[in-house]
Short mmCIF file of all heavy atoms in Angstrom, two decimals:
data_model
loop_
_atom_site.label_atom_id
_atom_site.label_comp_id
_atom_site.label_asym_id
_atom_site.label_seq_id
_atom_site.Cartn_x
_atom_site.Cartn_y
_atom_site.Cartn_z
N ALA I 1 -44.04 26.60 -20.60
CA ALA I 1 -45.36 26.64 -19.98
C ALA I 1 -45.92 25.24 -19.72
O ALA I 1 -46.44 24.96 -18.63
CB ALA I 1 -46.32 27.45 -20.86
N GLY I 2 -45.77 24.36 -20.70
CA GLY I 2 -46.28 23.00 -20.53
C GLY I 2 -45.57 22.27 -19.41
O GLY I 2 -46.20 21.54 -18.62
N MET I 3 -44.25 22.46 -19.30
CA MET I 3 -43.49 21.80 -18.25
C MET I 3 -43.88 22.31 -16.86
O MET I 3 -43.92 21.55 -15.90
CB MET I 3 -41.99 22.01 -18.48
CG MET I 3 -41.46 21.48 -19.80
SD MET I 3 -41.68 19.68 -20.01
CE MET I 3 -43.13 19.64 -21.09
N ILE I 4 -44.16 23.62 -16.79
CA ILE I 4 -44.58 24.19 -15.51
C ILE I 4 -45.91 23.60 -15.07
O ILE I 4 -46.09 23.22 -13.90
CB ILE I 4 -44.66 25.73 -15.62
CG1 ILE I 4 -43.26 26.32 -15.84
CG2 ILE I 4 -45.29 26.33 -14.37
CD1 ILE I 4 -43.26 27.80 -16.11
N LEU I 5 -46.86 23.54 -15.99
CA LEU I 5 -48.16 22.96 -15.65
C LEU I 5 -48.04 21.49 -15.29
O LEU I 5 -48.72 21.01 -14.37
CB LEU I 5 -49.12 23.14 -16.84
CG LEU I 5 -49.50 24.59 -17.16
CD1 LEU I 5 -50.37 24.64 -18.41
CD2 LEU I 5 -50.22 25.23 -16.00
N TYR I 6 -47.18 20.75 -16.00
CA TYR I 6 -47.00 19.34 -15.69
C TYR I 6 -46.35 19.16 -14.31
O TYR I 6 -46.70 18.24 -13.57
CB TYR I 6 -46.15 18.68 -16.77
CG TYR I 6 -46.06 17.17 -16.63
CD1 TYR I 6 -47.20 16.40 -16.68
CD2 TYR I 6 -44.83 16.55 -16.46
CE1 TYR I 6 -47.14 15.02 -16.56
CE2 TYR I 6 -44.75 15.17 -16.34
CZ TYR I 6 -45.91 14.42 -16.39
OH TYR I 6 -45.84 13.05 -16.26
N SER I 7 -45.41 20.03 -13.97
CA SER I 7 -44.80 19.97 -12.64
C SER I 7 -45.84 20.23 -11.55
O SER I 7 -45.81 19.61 -10.49
CB SER I 7 -43.66 20.98 -12.54
OG SER I 7 -42.63 20.69 -13.45
N PHE I 8 -46.76 21.17 -11.83
CA PHE I 8 -47.83 21.43 -10.88
C PHE I 8 -48.68 20.19 -10.67
O PHE I 8 -49.04 19.85 -9.53
CB PHE I 8 -48.69 22.59 -11.40
CG PHE I 8 -49.86 22.92 -10.51
CD1 PHE I 8 -49.67 23.62 -9.33
CD2 PHE I 8 -51.14 22.54 -10.87
CE1 PHE I 8 -50.73 23.92 -8.51
CE2 PHE I 8 -52.22 22.84 -10.06
CZ PHE I 8 -52.01 23.53 -8.87
N TYR I 9 -48.96 19.47 -11.74
CA TYR I 9 -49.72 18.22 -11.61
C TYR I 9 -48.92 17.17 -10.85
O TYR I 9 -49.45 16.47 -9.98
CB TYR I 9 -50.10 17.70 -13.00
CG TYR I 9 -50.50 16.25 -13.01
CD1 TYR I 9 -51.71 15.84 -12.48
CD2 TYR I 9 -49.64 15.28 -13.54
CE1 TYR I 9 -52.08 14.50 -12.47
CE2 TYR I 9 -50.00 13.94 -13.54
CZ TYR I 9 -51.21 13.55 -13.00
OH TYR I 9 -51.57 12.23 -12.98
N LEU I 10 -47.63 17.06 -11.15
CA LEU I 10 -46.81 16.04 -10.48
C LEU I 10 -46.72 16.27 -8.98
O LEU I 10 -46.52 15.32 -8.22
CB LEU I 10 -45.40 16.04 -11.08
CG LEU I 10 -45.22 15.45 -12.47
CD1 LEU I 10 -43.76 15.50 -12.89
CD2 LEU I 10 -45.72 14.00 -12.51
N SER I 11 -46.86 17.52 -8.53
CA SER I 11 -46.77 17.79 -7.10
C SER I 11 -47.90 17.15 -6.31
O SER I 11 -47.81 17.04 -5.09
CB SER I 11 -46.77 19.30 -6.85
OG SER I 11 -48.01 19.88 -7.18
N PHE I 12 -48.94 16.72 -7.00
CA PHE I 12 -50.05 16.02 -6.34
C PHE I 12 -50.00 14.52 -6.59
O PHE I 12 -51.00 13.83 -6.39
CB PHE I 12 -51.40 16.57 -6.85
CG PHE I 12 -51.59 18.02 -6.57
CD1 PHE I 12 -51.36 18.97 -7.56
CD2 PHE I 12 -52.00 18.46 -5.31
CE1 PHE I 12 -51.54 20.32 -7.30
CE2 PHE I 12 -52.17 19.80 -5.05
CZ PHE I 12 -51.93 20.74 -6.04
N THR I 13 -48.85 14.02 -7.00
CA THR I 13 -48.73 12.60 -7.33
C THR I 13 -47.53 11.98 -6.64
O THR I 13 -46.67 12.68 -6.10
CB THR I 13 -48.56 12.41 -8.85
OG1 THR I 13 -47.29 12.96 -9.27
CG2 THR I 13 -49.68 13.07 -9.62
N GLN I 14 -47.51 10.68 -6.67
CA GLN I 14 -46.33 9.90 -6.28
C GLN I 14 -45.71 9.36 -7.56
O GLN I 14 -46.31 8.55 -8.25
CB GLN I 14 -46.73 8.76 -5.33
CG GLN I 14 -45.56 7.91 -4.86
CD GLN I 14 -46.00 6.80 -3.92
OE1 GLN I 14 -47.14 6.79 -3.46
NE2 GLN I 14 -45.11 5.87 -3.64
N TYR I 15 -44.50 9.81 -7.86
CA TYR I 15 -43.90 9.52 -9.17
C TYR I 15 -42.42 9.24 -8.98
O TYR I 15 -41.68 10.04 -8.43
CB TYR I 15 -44.11 10.72 -10.10
CG TYR I 15 -43.53 10.54 -11.48
CD1 TYR I 15 -43.71 9.35 -12.18
CD2 TYR I 15 -42.83 11.58 -12.09
CE1 TYR I 15 -43.18 9.21 -13.45
CE2 TYR I 15 -42.32 11.45 -13.37
CZ TYR I 15 -42.49 10.25 -14.04
OH TYR I 15 -41.97 10.10 -15.30
N ASN I 16 -42.00 8.07 -9.43
CA ASN I 16 -40.59 7.67 -9.29
C ASN I 16 -39.89 7.49 -10.63
O ASN I 16 -38.88 6.79 -10.73
CB ASN I 16 -40.49 6.38 -8.49
CG ASN I 16 -41.21 5.22 -9.17
OD1 ASN I 16 -41.77 5.38 -10.25
ND2 ASN I 16 -41.20 4.07 -8.52
N ILE I 17 -40.42 8.10 -11.68
CA ILE I 17 -39.88 8.08 -13.05
C ILE I 17 -40.15 6.74 -13.74
O ILE I 17 -40.57 6.70 -14.90
CB ILE I 17 -38.37 8.38 -13.09
CG1 ILE I 17 -38.09 9.76 -12.50
CG2 ILE I 17 -37.84 8.31 -14.53
CD1 ILE I 17 -36.62 10.14 -12.50
N VAL I 18 -39.92 5.63 -13.07
CA VAL I 18 -40.07 4.31 -13.68
C VAL I 18 -41.54 3.98 -13.88
O VAL I 18 -41.94 3.48 -14.94
CB VAL I 18 -39.40 3.23 -12.80
CG1 VAL I 18 -39.57 1.85 -13.43
CG2 VAL I 18 -37.92 3.54 -12.63
N GLU I 19 -42.37 4.28 -12.90
CA GLU I 19 -43.80 3.95 -12.96
C GLU I 19 -44.61 5.20 -13.26
O GLU I 19 -44.15 6.32 -13.00
CB GLU I 19 -44.25 3.33 -11.63
CG GLU I 19 -43.50 2.06 -11.29
CD GLU I 19 -43.88 1.55 -9.91
OE1 GLU I 19 -44.58 2.30 -9.19
OE2 GLU I 19 -43.48 0.43 -9.56
N PRO I 20 -45.80 5.04 -13.79
CA PRO I 20 -46.65 6.22 -14.08
C PRO I 20 -47.00 6.96 -12.80
O PRO I 20 -47.05 6.37 -11.71
CB PRO I 20 -47.90 5.60 -14.74
CG PRO I 20 -47.47 4.26 -15.22
CD PRO I 20 -46.43 3.78 -14.26
N PRO I 21 -47.24 8.27 -12.88
CA PRO I 21 -47.61 9.03 -11.69
C PRO I 21 -48.92 8.53 -11.08
O PRO I 21 -49.86 8.17 -11.79
CB PRO I 21 -47.76 10.46 -12.22
CG PRO I 21 -47.02 10.49 -13.52
CD PRO I 21 -47.13 9.11 -14.09
N LYS I 22 -48.95 8.49 -9.76
CA LYS I 22 -50.14 8.06 -9.03
C LYS I 22 -50.66 9.24 -8.21
O LYS I 22 -49.97 9.76 -7.34
CB LYS I 22 -49.80 6.89 -8.11
CG LYS I 22 -50.97 6.37 -7.29
CD LYS I 22 -50.55 5.25 -6.38
CE LYS I 22 -51.71 4.77 -5.53
NZ LYS I 22 -51.29 3.68 -4.59
N PHE I 23 -51.88 9.64 -8.47
CA PHE I 23 -52.45 10.81 -7.80
C PHE I 23 -52.68 10.52 -6.32
O PHE I 23 -53.31 9.52 -5.95
CB PHE I 23 -53.77 11.20 -8.46
CG PHE I 23 -54.35 12.48 -7.92
CD1 PHE I 23 -53.88 13.71 -8.34
CD2 PHE I 23 -55.38 12.44 -6.98
CE1 PHE I 23 -54.41 14.89 -7.83
CE2 PHE I 23 -55.91 13.62 -6.48
CZ PHE I 23 -55.43 14.84 -6.91
N ILE I 24 -52.14 11.40 -5.46
CA ILE I 24 -52.27 11.21 -4.01
C ILE I 24 -52.79 12.49 -3.33
O ILE I 24 -52.73 12.61 -2.10
CB ILE I 24 -50.94 10.79 -3.37
CG1 ILE I 24 -49.84 11.82 -3.68
CG2 ILE I 24 -50.53 9.41 -3.82
CD1 ILE I 24 -48.53 11.54 -2.98
N GLY I 25 -53.27 13.43 -4.09
CA GLY I 25 -53.85 14.64 -3.52
C GLY I 25 -52.81 15.52 -2.84
O GLY I 25 -51.73 15.76 -3.38
N LEU I 26 -53.11 15.98 -1.64
CA LEU I 26 -52.25 16.90 -0.90
C LEU I 26 -51.26 16.19 0.01
O LEU I 26 -50.66 16.83 0.89
CB LEU I 26 -53.11 17.86 -0.07
CG LEU I 26 -54.03 18.79 -0.85
CD1 LEU I 26 -54.91 19.58 0.10
CD2 LEU I 26 -53.22 19.74 -1.73
N ALA I 27 -51.06 14.90 -0.21
CA ALA I 27 -50.19 14.13 0.69
C ALA I 27 -48.76 14.68 0.71
O ALA I 27 -48.13 14.73 1.77
CB ALA I 27 -50.19 12.66 0.28
N ASN I 28 -48.25 15.08 -0.44
CA ASN I 28 -46.88 15.63 -0.49
C ASN I 28 -46.77 16.90 0.34
O ASN I 28 -45.80 17.08 1.08
CB ASN I 28 -46.48 15.92 -1.94
CG ASN I 28 -46.18 14.65 -2.72
OD1 ASN I 28 -45.74 13.66 -2.15
ND2 ASN I 28 -46.42 14.68 -4.01
N TYR I 29 -47.76 17.78 0.22
CA TYR I 29 -47.70 19.04 0.96
C TYR I 29 -47.95 18.82 2.45
O TYR I 29 -47.37 19.52 3.28
CB TYR I 29 -48.73 20.02 0.38
CG TYR I 29 -48.42 20.42 -1.03
CD1 TYR I 29 -49.08 19.82 -2.11
CD2 TYR I 29 -47.47 21.39 -1.30
CE1 TYR I 29 -48.79 20.19 -3.42
CE2 TYR I 29 -47.17 21.77 -2.61
CZ TYR I 29 -47.84 21.16 -3.65
OH TYR I 29 -47.55 21.51 -4.95
N THR I 30 -48.81 17.86 2.78
CA THR I 30 -49.04 17.55 4.19
C THR I 30 -47.76 17.05 4.85
O THR I 30 -47.39 17.49 5.95
CB THR I 30 -50.14 16.49 4.33
OG1 THR I 30 -51.34 16.96 3.72
CG2 THR I 30 -50.40 16.17 5.80
N LYS I 31 -47.06 16.17 4.17
CA LYS I 31 -45.78 15.67 4.70
C LYS I 31 -44.76 16.79 4.77
O LYS I 31 -44.00 16.89 5.74
CB LYS I 31 -45.27 14.55 3.80
CG LYS I 31 -43.89 14.03 4.19
CD LYS I 31 -43.40 12.98 3.22
CE LYS I 31 -41.98 12.54 3.57
NZ LYS I 31 -41.47 11.54 2.59
N MET I 32 -44.74 17.64 3.77
CA MET I 32 -43.75 18.71 3.67
C MET I 32 -43.83 19.66 4.86
O MET I 32 -42.81 20.05 5.44
CB MET I 32 -43.96 19.47 2.36
CG MET I 32 -42.78 20.31 1.90
SD MET I 32 -43.21 21.14 0.34
CE MET I 32 -43.63 19.74 -0.72
N PHE I 33 -45.05 20.03 5.23
CA PHE I 33 -45.23 21.06 6.26
C PHE I 33 -45.49 20.51 7.66
O PHE I 33 -45.56 21.31 8.61
CB PHE I 33 -46.38 21.99 5.85
CG PHE I 33 -46.06 22.86 4.67
CD1 PHE I 33 -46.63 22.58 3.43
CD2 PHE I 33 -45.21 23.93 4.79
CE1 PHE I 33 -46.34 23.38 2.34
CE2 PHE I 33 -44.91 24.73 3.70
CZ PHE I 33 -45.48 24.46 2.47
N THR I 34 -45.62 19.20 7.78
CA THR I 34 -45.92 18.65 9.11
C THR I 34 -44.91 17.62 9.60
O THR I 34 -44.66 17.51 10.80
CB THR I 34 -47.32 18.00 9.12
OG1 THR I 34 -47.38 16.94 8.15
CG2 THR I 34 -48.40 19.05 8.82
N ARG I 35 -44.29 16.86 8.69
CA ARG I 35 -43.43 15.76 9.14
C ARG I 35 -42.01 15.82 8.60
O ARG I 35 -41.17 15.04 9.05
CB ARG I 35 -44.06 14.41 8.73
CG ARG I 35 -45.45 14.18 9.26
CD ARG I 35 -45.89 12.74 9.07
NE ARG I 35 -45.82 12.33 7.69
CZ ARG I 35 -46.81 12.50 6.81
NH1 ARG I 35 -47.92 13.11 7.18
NH2 ARG I 35 -46.69 12.08 5.56
N ASP I 36 -41.73 16.69 7.66
CA ASP I 36 -40.41 16.71 7.03
C ASP I 36 -39.53 17.77 7.69
O ASP I 36 -39.60 18.96 7.36
CB ASP I 36 -40.55 16.99 5.53
CG ASP I 36 -39.25 16.73 4.78
OD1 ASP I 36 -38.22 16.53 5.43
OD2 ASP I 36 -39.28 16.73 3.54
N ASP I 37 -38.69 17.35 8.63
CA ASP I 37 -37.80 18.29 9.32
C ASP I 37 -36.72 18.83 8.39
O ASP I 37 -36.26 19.96 8.56
CB ASP I 37 -37.15 17.61 10.52
CG ASP I 37 -38.16 17.25 11.59
OD1 ASP I 37 -39.21 17.92 11.67
OD2 ASP I 37 -37.91 16.29 12.36
N LEU I 38 -36.32 18.03 7.40
CA LEU I 38 -35.28 18.49 6.48
C LEU I 38 -35.79 19.61 5.58
O LEU I 38 -35.03 20.51 5.20
CB LEU I 38 -34.77 17.32 5.63
CG LEU I 38 -33.90 16.30 6.36
CD1 LEU I 38 -33.46 15.19 5.39
CD2 LEU I 38 -32.69 16.96 6.99
N PHE I 39 -37.07 19.57 5.23
CA PHE I 39 -37.63 20.66 4.43
C PHE I 39 -37.61 21.95 5.23
O PHE I 39 -37.24 23.02 4.70
CB PHE I 39 -39.06 20.31 4.02
CG PHE I 39 -39.76 21.43 3.30
CD1 PHE I 39 -39.44 21.76 2.00
CD2 PHE I 39 -40.74 22.17 3.96
CE1 PHE I 39 -40.09 22.80 1.34
CE2 PHE I 39 -41.39 23.20 3.31
CZ PHE I 39 -41.07 23.52 2.00
N ALA I 40 -37.99 21.88 6.51
CA ALA I 40 -37.94 23.07 7.35
C ALA I 40 -36.51 23.57 7.50
O ALA I 40 -36.26 24.78 7.48
CB ALA I 40 -38.55 22.76 8.72
#
């Protein structure tokens, strides 16, 4: 349960493992559904 909730939080961040997560809001989802052809 804790890992699921943490993953939900990470989806709103920019995180590369080395540095702490940086909150970026819906930027990941905006890119996913508008600019990422590989996701589609």
Side-chain angles (χ1 to χ4, degrees):
M3 300 300 101
I4 293 173
L5 294 176
Y6 188 60
S7 297
F8 179 76
Y9 163 72
L10 287 181
S11 68
F12 299 100
T13 67
Q14 181 179 349
Y15 180 44
N16 61 1
I17 300 180
V18 179
E19 300 175 351
K22 179 182 178 182
F23 186 79
I24 57 175
L26 296 174
N28 286 330
Y29 295 99
T30 302
K31 176 183 176 182
M32 198 180 303
F33 291 106
T34 59
R35 302 192 304 273
D36 192 350
D37 294 334
L38 288 180
F39 174 74

